[in-house]
Amino acid sequence: MVRGKIQMKKIENATSRQVTFSKRRKGQLKKARELSVLCDAEVALIIFSQRGRLYEYSSSKVCVLQRPSRSKHIST
């Protein structure tokens, strides 16, 4: 069985979007850990949810000095 390609566009249903975010977040954190272990690499991953919640992973003991404010939009 082959998985079909998904179209890259915003998921309109809020519940489906949250479920997808949670699953993909877990997958990205797992991949970051695997990359760190398998390749002995220093890896850091930062994910912000739609509500501004912060999820982070670091393969070494890095101290986060200051967390950004809980605003939804971050200017670059």
Side-chain angles (χ1 to χ4, degrees), residues 1 5 8 13 16 18 20 24 27 29 31 35-36 43 47 53 57 60-61 64 66 68 74-75:
M1 181 182 231
K5 286 190 174 186
M8 284 293 137
N13 183 298
S16 295
Q18 180 58 40
T20 301
R24 287 182 176 252
L29 291 168
K31 291 289 185 183
L35 181 62
S36 172
V43 177
I47 301 172
R53 193 169 198 180
Y57 168 79
S60 63
K61 294 185 180 193
V64 177
Q66 181 179 5
I74 299 172
S75 61

Side-chain angles (χ1 to χ4, degrees), residues 15-60:
T15 304
S16 295
R17 186 171 49 244
Q18 180 58 40
V19 168
T20 301
F21 175 79
S22 296
K23 287 180 179 180
R24 287 182 176 252
R25 183 189 72 231
K26 286 180 187 178
Q28 290 299 313
L29 291 168
K30 180 180 177 185
K31 291 289 185 183
R33 273 187 241 102
E34 289 173 353
L35 181 62
S36 172
V37 171
L38 294 173
C39 301
D40 194 28
E42 294 292 324
V43 177
L45 177 66
I46 301 172
I47 301 172
F48 289 98
S49 72
Q50 184 179 13
R51 294 182 176 176
R53 193 169 198 180
L54 172 66
Y55 301 91
E56 60 187 276
Y57 168 79
S58 175
S59 59
S60 63

